[in-house]
Structure formats: C-alpha cells, structure tokens
Amino acid sequence: MLRLLQLVRSCWMVAAAPATPRERVSLNAGWRFSRFTSNPDSLSYDKLKQWVLPSANDFISGTKRQPPSGTPPGTDVSYVKDSFDDSAWEQVNLPHDWAVKGPFNAPGIGGGMGRLPSNGVGWYRRKVTVASSDIEAGKSIFLDIDGAMSYAAVWLNGNLVGGWPYGYNSFRLDLTQYAKSGDNTLAIRVDNALDSSRWYPGAGLYRNIWLVKVDPTHVGQYGTYITTPSVSAQSATVDLVVEVENKRNGSRKVDVVTEIFAYDPASGKATGNVVATFPKSTITVAAGTKLSVNSSTTVLNPQLWGPAPSQKPNLYIAVTTLSSDGASAAIDVYETRFGIRTVVYDATKGVLVNGQRSYIQGTCNHHDLGSLGAAFNVRAAERQLQMLQEMGSNAIRTSHNPPAPEILDIADHLGMLVLDEIFDCWNTQKTKNDYHLIFPDWHEPDLRSFIRRDRNHPSVIAWSVGNEIGEQSSAAGGATTKELRDIARSEDPTRGVTVAMNSAGPNTQMASVVDIIGLNYQGEGLGTSTSGSFSSFRSKFPNKMIWSSESSSVLSTRGTYIFPVTSGNSATVGGASAGGNNSALQVSSYELYAPSWGSSPDKVFTAQDKNSYVAGEYVWTGWDYIGEPTPYDSARSSYFGIIDMAGFKKDRFYLYQSRWRPDLPSAHILPHWTWPDRVGQVTPVHVFSSASEAELFVNDKSQGRLKRGQYEYRFRWDNVTYQPGDLKVVTYKNGVEWATSTTRTVGDATKLNITSDTTIISGDTLAFVSVAVVDKNGDIVPRASNSVTFKIDGPGTIVSTDNGNPADMTAFPSTTRKVFSGLVLAIVRANAGASGEITVSASADGLTGAQVMLQTS
Ligand code: GAL
C-alpha cells in the first residue's frame, strides 16, 4: 500500500535523473494563514475579475482577454506586501481546509453545506525562494495550484498575477515576470460565500501547490495528448501531440523526441528498453508562441490497460525530450503516463473495454475525505477507492466537480473506470452563490482545462458536463449541452460526453445531443414507482448507450435498526414506522428506505436486470460525505453512503458485494442479535449473499430454507421472533454449501480492541486506527456508545476522529469521541521529519484500554 502511495506521488514528477532540466517542487510547507468572516480588504471577485480573466487565456478559443491598464486592485492591500508582518497568523501546511476543524453549527451554514465554517475570506502567505541561477538562466517559473476554494487571486511580491474562481479546477499562473532571486512573497486570497454549494465545499488551499521551473522553451502545461486509435493483441497505434511553448524573446528551433517505456508499478518509473519511438520532429517555435507537433508510432504486443479484476491496469510512460541548436543537453524532459486501451459504448452490450464488457458497478462520490474534510490526502483517497474495489466496484463518478488530480492516478493504478464530471449547474442556480454566477465567463476555460488535464488517463471513460441541470428540459439547456459537448469533443474526440439527467425526457434536445444517455433515478422510476424511463429512452435512441449516472440514494445509519420493517422492497423514509428515528436523527439499516426520489438497491437491480441493455449504475454514494444530511437537515453529514464517513462498512456494502462479486462466497446477516428489549417480538432477519439458497437458524431451530427468486437480491425472514442466542445462516449455490455466518447475542462491554490499517507511516501517509467496544468473547457490542479517548506517545499526531454517526457534532479534531454502534476511528499522521515508534492508545471509563504501535522513519 505504501508502495502505491509512492508511485502516485512520483507519477507527476519528471524522471529522477539529476540532470533533469525541469523542476517541480512542492510548495505545501510553511504558510501563514488568516481567515476573516467579514471582508478585510474590500476586494471582491467583481473588482478583481478583469485581471483574473486573462489567466484563462490558454483555454479560450475566441479573443484573448487583456487586463485593463492601470494599477490592479489589491496593490495597496498590506497582506500582499513583503513588509507585512504575518507572524501572528496561524502556521499551516497544505493541503489545508480551514473549515474542517469546526466547530459545527457555524453561523449561516446549514446542513446542506455541513454546518462547518467554510465561508469568509482567507489569506495565505509564504516565502518562495528562487535561486539566482534560475533567474540568470531566464527560467520560466510557474505556480501550479491543484485546487483552491474558491475565487483564488494570487500576488507575487505585491503584483497581482491572476487567479481562478472555480474552486475545484486546477490552474497555472506564470510568475516569471514578477519573480526575483532570493525570497519572494507569495500571497493568495480565497473568498467563500454562504450558500455557494449543495454539499460541503471545504475552504482554502485544500489541494497540492507546486512551483515549476523550466527552460523558457518547454513542453506546455498539459502539453501532451496521447490516444490509441487502433489496438489489437499484436499491436497498437499510439498517436501523440506535443505542444511546445516558447517564452523566449526570439524564435527557437527545437527537436522533439518521444520514447515509450513500460511503466514499472514497483518503482513508479519507466523500466526496461524503449518499447517504441515516435519519429523525431524539428520545429521552429516563434517567440511567445506555442506550436504542436503530431506523430504516431506502433507498440507491438501491447500490454493493455483495463479495469480490475477481469483485466490488468498496465501502464506506459512516454518520455518527451526537447533539445535545441544541436546542444547535447536536453532543454526539457516531460513524462506522460498513459495506458493502451479501447473503449466502446455499445447500446446493447454496454461499456466495452478492449472488447470486453465492463458492466458499470460504480459509485458516485463527493470530494471530501471524511473527518479530514476537503484537505486532500493520497492515502485517504486511495483507501476510499480500495474499499470500493473490495466491494466489487469497478467505476467512480466524480460527482459533481473535477477531482484532485491524484484521484485519477489512483484510478489508473487500481484499474477503476472514471466518469469524470465537471459541473453541478450551468446558468440556472441551485444555490444563490453557486457556479451559475460565473458560468458565462468560465464554462469554456474550465471545461477545456479540465479535459486537457485529465485526458491522458486511461481510467477516464467519459466526460460528464453536468448534473441535474436546472435548464435540462429547455431549448436553452439543449443549446448549452451542444456547446459544452462541442468543446469537449474539440479537446478530446475519443470519449463520449454525457449529462446526468433526472427529469429531461427522451424528447428533449439535451437527450438528443449527448453521446451517452445518463439517467439519474428516472430510469428505475422515482421513489416506489416502478414505471421508469429506460424503455422510452431505449426506443427513442436505439443506438445510444444508456446508464444510470446516479441511482438508489438509499439512506441508512450503520448499525441502526428500526422496527417495524417494511414488507416492500423499497420504501420512502419517514418516522419510526418508515425506517426513521426523527429524534436520534437516524435511518434504519435494513437498506430499504430512500428519499422520495430514491429506491432501494434491490429495486434498482430489478430495473437494471429487466432492461439488460442498461450499461450499469453509479450508486449515490460509495462513501458518506459532509453535508446534505437528508432526511435530517440538523445533522452534519450524509446517510447515502454504502460506507460511513469513518470508513466502517454499512450492511449495504455486502448487498452490493453479493451482486458485484457473485463468485465470492458471502453471507451477511442483519440486524445484530442483541435485543434485550425485543425478546418475543418479531425481528426480521435479512441476509445478503451471493448464494442461490439459504437456511436460517435461531438457536439451531430452522426458520426455513429460501430459494432466491428472479429479481430477488436478498434473503429475508420477516417473521423471526427474537430470542437471545445464535443466529446462523447456511447458504447454498448449485445445491452445494456456499457460505455460512453466525451472529450471536453479546454480553456486557468489557474492553476495547484496537487495529490499524498499517503499522508504518511516514510523510503524508496516514494510519487509520479503529477501536471497537467488545464483550469478554471479543464480540463487538453493537449498541455501545462509550466515550473513547485517544492518546499518542511518540512522534505522531492524531489528525481527527470520527465514528460515522451523521448526527455527532463533536468537532473532528477532538481526541475524545463516543463510539457509535460499537466503533470509532482515529486518523494518525507522523510528525514531519520524525522517526521512531508511535504508540496510539485508546481508553474508556470502566473498560480495559488498548494500544497499537506504529513505526515512522
Ligand atoms: C441527486 C443529486 C445528488 C444528490 C442526490 C441525493 O439528485 O444529483 O447531488 O443530491 O440527489 O439523493
């Protein structure tokens, strides 16, 4: 696992050879930060806009935007100046999300945005040292920001350099003209409005930031584009575009050579001999311009990239070397990791990768990483995807915004398909201050830069240009769909464009314009309705592939069971008789209760199976996320996740696993079997299993053997009378015993059990330390809610804690937290530069404590 992290980190770096003429260094350390809840500087996007718009010039097809003449706004603001004393400001390292530490119930922020203080103006400052040799060599110096929430504006040494308003997009600013040898003062302002989002946006410099130093004649930003137009087992054609940017005052003749190597997952580097070489091109790039060269080569016996586990995610690296004027040393070396694969959208068979059907077993996910908030961390993101893969998921949808770039690296490595999505709204607002305010000025550069950034990732199989767009059924919406589709096609003609449509019907212009029909909920039918729209889209567009871009939205809280249980296979959540507990703010985990538009997984599976041409689904959501706590707005986080926010699996995990990994013997029983208050009462038992038959026993007494019928996805015994003891299920497939499972009534809590997902941490890696309250036999006490305190000895820090309870308002950094349904999590980081042993201890009143040892180096 650590190895994968190292690979992911190295994959954006150029070759490690010391002579590399390109440097890309992290600017994450050593910032000073201050947040202001009222405007401290009288700046605003409106005032900055004319100076910020030109930052997008590389991504607009029309007339370039020019900054106005005169002094730019902010020049007189003290925070941009070298002379400003920021020593009283907070010291922070990036990625930094100022809101995640809380407290909850921040003024003006409702449940939708997660009740955390994300609003306000944030200023970040740090020194950036530039070597005199770089200045003397006339190097180009760029600032690459993977994402800043939001309306970022950047000053270097008091000069306004530019900015980028969309908080989820990555952007580059050219610092060269303002950089000097020695210390430079970099100041960044971000500005977050109230009512800017339907979910938790995070706040501040929440992703990685880089300084790139390169010869003024270099491969441009996102300057390579690799496609594989024809692929067979024997050979693959690989097409390459290299864009060379020349920032010198004079023109320059440049040789462009690109060689392909196999990618070695063990080292994260190119390995072995050259696999193929593109013909050398020699071009003359005029001063201050860019020029692209196209070339093509053949890779024999290609090792294809494909989704796991049925295929392998093999990767290659193309190493592009620029040299000039016969000089022996390269002036730039640029690496592009890519995969060789084909993707076909077949209207009947679904997604074909390398000719093999990949039924989409996907989930939608928001960008936050639970109690870490929006602050990006590779290991936390990797953990999310690995757990989804363990469930049998092969795809993610980056709902509803550009992800951190590393997410796509991880997906490439793990072999997961990605529906890469950019917008949640266009011109029509969903919340007062959302993206609609800047859509007219920014949709083109945002879309172009997003696609250029992501288009070399083999994991990305389609672009989604919108989710549940307000104007989806109107002519105006149709026209915008066409505009966005055409932009996407002009940047990447190899992938289809889709929009996630929840109400647009088959006769809308939007539906006719998109390449892939993406249906949110309407395919299977909203709520408990079973008359969905799959067949009407199918008859209108027999040649277009249809998938459920968003499905289910079933709700549950891990370990919570509410009685009675509906006899239907999908129900709308309500009070106690409809799966809800309105005072505890919890939803029953029988995995049957959804909001009015949603459905149980079982109902969705039925609709998918009855319409076998549907290419699969992206379930809302894989992981719980901060904000949108439907149906209980006063809570802090969602109930939609298959996995809770701490990373503990809900029962639903096993329902999806039983469908998506049919060959894995599985039998998961719910509910737990410790109900002193229910002796003699009807307590339905459901089992999620990949088997075809199952028999349930209560204290060895059979409750009946069930055969799974067509369109049935769970075994259910709805009339079981609760008696303490053993609940056992024995399952069968093809008449042969398949998997068994037993749940027993547990005794009083006696001690804590502690486990960590790793025993070694360093750098940015994290340990996810779980604690369970158990009885004397070591069984988890299912309704335990003891307060647990975590403590660290040694060079580590507890970053945050969580228990997956959407209604827990204890601030995330708290080292004391109640367990929820028996479990609680602490996230531990090693202190920078430290080495040695870290002991993480957990204690709770009246229980035997526990500790786990971690190593850091
Ligand atoms: C969808 C929407 C998602 C989320 C979900 C909750 O309509 O696209 O962003 O809000 O509902 O069920």
Side-chain angles (χ1 to χ4, degrees):
M1 167 201 316
L2 274 176
R3 212 184 51 188
L4 176 54
L5 291 174
Q6 281 149 7
L7 307 189
V8 167
R9 251 189 251 110
S10 63
C11 64
W12 283 90
M13 320 275 247
V14 292
T20 182
R22 170 181 283 256
E23 270 184 88
R24 185 172 193 256
V25 292
S26 167
L27 285 188
N28 284 351
W31 291 80
R32 292 282 178 170
F33 160 74
S34 189
R35 170 189 178 225
F36 304 85
T37 46
S38 58
N39 193 331
D41 49 37
S42 68
L43 293 173
S44 65
Y45 176 66
D46 278 349
K47 287 188 186 160
L48 292 161
K49 178 173 155 178
Q50 297 307 328
W51 280 266
V52 166
L53 284 172
S55 302
N57 275 345
D58 283 345
F59 304 100
I60 55 175
S61 53
T63 316
K64 305 294 177 207
R65 295 143 169 179
Q66 296 304 327
S69 55
T71 309
T75 310
D76 54 351
V77 170
S78 57
Y79 311 140
V80 309
K81 295 182 184 166
D82 182 41
S83 54
F84 178 72
D85 178 6
D86 57 20
S87 57
W89 287 12
E90 192 183 342
Q91 293 188 39
V92 299
N93 292 328
L94 313 183
H96 174 245
D97 172 0
W98 82 58
V100 73
K101 68 175 191 286
F104 285 106
N105 296 320
I109 309 267
M113 284 178 67
R115 307 198 168 279
L116 289 168
S118 54
N119 62 304
V121 170
W123 275 97
Y124 290 82
R125 286 168 51 94
R126 70 161 269 175
K127 292 267 181 273
V128 176
T129 309
V130 178
S132 56
S133 54
D134 289 332
I135 300 290
E136 283 152 20
K139 290 257 171 93
S140 287
I141 301 174
F142 298 109
L143 181 69
D144 282 0
I145 296 187
D146 288 351
M149 189 63 68
S150 58
Y151 289 93
V154 174
W155 286 259
L156 188 72
N157 300 324
N159 303 288
L160 178 58
V161 187
W164 203 281
Y166 192 24
Y168 294 104
N169 223 344
S170 303
F171 62 99
R172 161 172 285 189
L173 298 175
D174 187 351
L175 303 180
T176 315
Q177 74 174 116
Y178 304 115
K180 57 180 195 210
S181 136
D183 279 349
N184 293 259
T185 301
L186 180 63
I188 304 181
R189 178 188 196 271
V190 290
D191 194 349
N192 293 337
L194 296 169
D195 295 323
S196 62
S197 179
R198 297 190 298 115
W199 59 89
Y200 177 65
L205 303 183
Y206 73 109
R207 288 187 185 159
N208 292 311
I209 296 194
W210 310 92
L211 192 71
V212 175
K213 291 186 273 181
V214 69
D215 187 281
T217 310
H218 51 256
V219 176
Q221 183 194 14
Y222 314 137
T224 54
Y225 177 38
I226 296 184
T227 50
T228 53
S230 83
V231 178
S232 72
Q234 292 73 38
S235 84
T237 306
V238 181
D239 287 353
L240 167 73
V241 184
V242 178
E243 186 181 63
V244 179
E245 177 171 47
N246 180 18
K247 293 220 154 208
R248 296 207 319 181
N249 292 330
S251 68
R252 201 162 193 199
K253 195 169 157 199
V254 183
D255 291 338
V256 183
V257 172
T258 302
E259 296 174 314
I260 297 177
F261 296 87
Y263 172 81
D264 174 25
S267 65
K269 293 194 176 132
T271 181
N273 297 327
V274 173
V275 171
T277 305
F278 292 90
K280 172 172 151 184
S281 316
T282 302
I283 52 171
T284 300
V285 192
T289 66
K290 295 176 182 178
L291 195 60
S292 292
V293 285
N294 292 43
S295 54
S296 187
T297 192
T298 302
V299 172
L300 296 176
N301 304 315
Q303 303 295 301
L304 305 187
W305 185 95
S310 54
Q311 301 188 48
K312 277 198 174 157
N314 295 305
L315 293 165
Y316 287 91
I317 294 191
V319 181
T320 301
T321 305
L322 305 188
S323 46
S324 187
D325 309 330
S328 56
I331 55 173
D332 194 11
V333 176
Y334 185 92
E335 294 195 355
T336 310
R337 221 184 42 209
F338 70 101
I340 297 176
R341 55 111 178 98
T342 59
V343 174
V344 168
Y345 316 112
D346 187 292
T348 302
K349 296 185 199 142
V351 177
L352 306 178
V353 183
N354 305 321
Q356 284 184 38
R357 180 171 186 251
S358 291
Y359 180 69
I360 298 295
Q361 303 176 165
T363 64
C364 305
N365 290 285
H366 271 311
H367 70 129
D368 73 67
L369 298 168
S371 60
L372 301 173
F376 186 74
N377 177 278
V378 170
R379 173 58 199 142
E382 180 193 51
R383 172 179 179 248
Q384 288 200 338
L385 297 199
Q386 282 174 329
M387 284 183 68
L388 294 169
Q389 231 176 10
E390 180 195 339
M391 181 169 72
S393 175
N394 61 6
I396 53 166
R397 168 178 178 232
T398 67
S399 43
H400 308 292
N401 47 259
E406 295 89 347
I407 294 274
L408 301 175
D409 297 326
I410 299 169
D412 286 348
H413 272 115
L414 295 178
M416 283 194 100
L417 307 172
V418 178
L419 170 55
D420 209 359
E421 183 163 86
I422 179 163
F423 297 129
D424 190 48
C425 70
W426 297 345
N427 283 303
T428 305
Q429 73 172 61
K430 290 186 178 173
T431 61
K432 188 169 145 234
N433 294 312
D434 65 18
Y435 190 81
H436 82 282
L437 296 174
I438 54 170
F439 185 83
D441 284 333
W442 284 91
H443 65 275
E444 183 192 357
D446 269 322
L447 182 55
R448 287 189 191 281
S449 64
F450 160 72
I451 292 179
R452 274 184 227 171
R453 188 194 72 169
D454 292 352
R455 66 190 175 180
N456 288 326
H457 288 278
S459 54
V460 174
I461 54 163
W463 307 113
S464 169
V465 294
N467 171 59
E468 299 190 350
I469 295 302
E471 58 267 42
Q472 63 189 284
S473 299
S474 70
T480 309
T481 313
K482 182 168 178 324
E483 187 201 347
L484 297 174
R485 184 203 64 188
D486 291 347
I487 293 172
R489 283 185 181 171
S490 73
E491 295 294 337
D492 176 34
T494 73
R495 293 177 177 87
V497 176
T498 190
V499 178
M501 304 181 286
N502 64 321
S503 62
N507 295 322
T508 54
Q509 198 185 335
M510 179 180 273
S512 69
V513 165
V514 292
D515 300 315
I516 299 167
I517 302 287
L519 301 180
N520 285 14
Y521 309 101
Q522 55 165 313
E524 62 265 23
L526 300 190
T528 49
S529 152
T530 48
S531 57
S533 63
F534 285 138
S535 56
S536 49
F537 277 95
R538 172 75 171 165
S539 19
K540 176 82 195 231
F541 302 106
N543 298 319
K544 282 195 194 190
M545 190 181 79
I546 301 173
W547 62 23
S548 293
S549 35
E550 204 173 300
S551 59
S552 185
S553 266
V554 88
L555 304 157
S556 57
T557 333
R558 177 180 52 80
T560 300
Y561 305 93
I562 295 169
F563 304 95
V565 176
T566 176
S567 58
N569 89 334
S570 192
T572 302
V573 71
S577 58
N581 181 334
N582 296 351
S583 52
L585 311 181
Q586 307 302 354
V587 182
S588 178
S589 254
Y590 277 88
E591 312 293 17
L592 291 165
Y593 300 95
S596 57
W597 57 92
S599 316
S600 68
D602 315 54
K603 199 197 110 181
V604 177
F605 296 159
T606 307
Q608 295 257 326
D609 288 348
K610 285 187 171 167
N611 300 279
S612 60
Y613 51 85
V614 176
E617 61 173 318
Y618 297 87
V619 178
W620 191 266
T621 48
W623 281 66
D624 269 329
Y625 51 94
I626 309 175
E628 213 181 27
T630 306
Y632 299 119
D633 188 64
S634 52
R636 60 159 210 207
S637 53
S638 78
Y639 299 75
F640 294 112
I642 298 169
I643 300 168
D644 77 18
M645 233 175 51
F648 300 127
K649 296 164 184 162
K650 299 185 189 173
D651 292 298
R652 218 181 318 155
F653 182 94
Y654 301 97
L655 179 53
Y656 285 103
Q657 192 179 56
S658 68
R659 175 173 170 86
W660 289 348
R661 296 183 67 183
D663 298 331
L664 180 78
S666 61
H668 175 82
I669 302 177
L670 66 138
H672 63 75
W673 210 237
T674 305
W675 298 103
D677 43 339
R678 297 193 63 77
V679 177
Q681 293 186 52
V682 169
T683 305
V685 175
H686 294 192
V687 168
F688 300 149
S689 169
S690 48
S692 48
E693 284 180 70
E695 185 167 14
L696 184 76
F697 301 87
V698 175
N699 296 332
D700 293 330
K701 185 162 180 270
S702 176
Q703 306 295 304
R705 180 163 164 161
L706 301 178
K707 209 176 191 135
R708 191 207 284 248
Q710 196 184 18
Y711 308 127
E712 284 178 5
Y713 305 91
R714 64 174 75 196
F715 297 99
R716 54 192 293 176
W717 293 263
D718 280 331
N719 292 314
V720 177
T721 302
Y722 176 76
Q723 294 297 338
D726 286 356
L727 186 62
K728 180 177 177 189
V729 70
V730 181
T731 68
Y732 303 86
K733 200 166 187 169
N734 304 323
V736 179
E737 204 172 295
W738 179 245
T740 66
S741 177
T742 303
T743 299
R744 48 187 179 185
T745 304
V746 305
D748 292 340
T750 59
K751 57 180 179 180
L752 302 179
N753 260 3
I754 193 164
T755 50
S756 173
D757 72 329
T758 179
T759 51
I760 300 171
I761 49 174
S762 64
D764 294 336
T765 67
L766 302 169
F768 291 84
V769 177
S770 304
V771 165
V773 174
V774 298
D775 71 359
K776 64 178 189 324
N777 298 317
D779 289 332
I780 296 176
V781 179
R783 286 192 281 180
S785 59
N786 310 59
S787 184
V788 168
T789 297
F790 289 94
K791 197 170 131 299
I792 287 262
D793 286 310
T797 306
I798 294 168
V799 186
S800 62
T801 60
D802 194 11
N803 55 17
N805 176 1
D808 185 338
M809 294 295 173
T810 309
F812 289 128
S814 173
T815 51
T816 297
R817 182 174 299 275
K818 283 186 165 184
V819 305
F820 180 68
S821 298
L823 301 173
V824 64
L825 175 88
I827 303 178
V828 176
R829 181 194 295 277
N831 294 343
S835 64
E837 217 159 65
I838 301 169
T839 307
V840 186
S841 324
S843 60
D845 281 352
L847 304 180
T848 308
Q851 46 184 237
V852 65
M853 219 79 93
L854 309 174
Q855 289 291 335
T856 180
S857 56

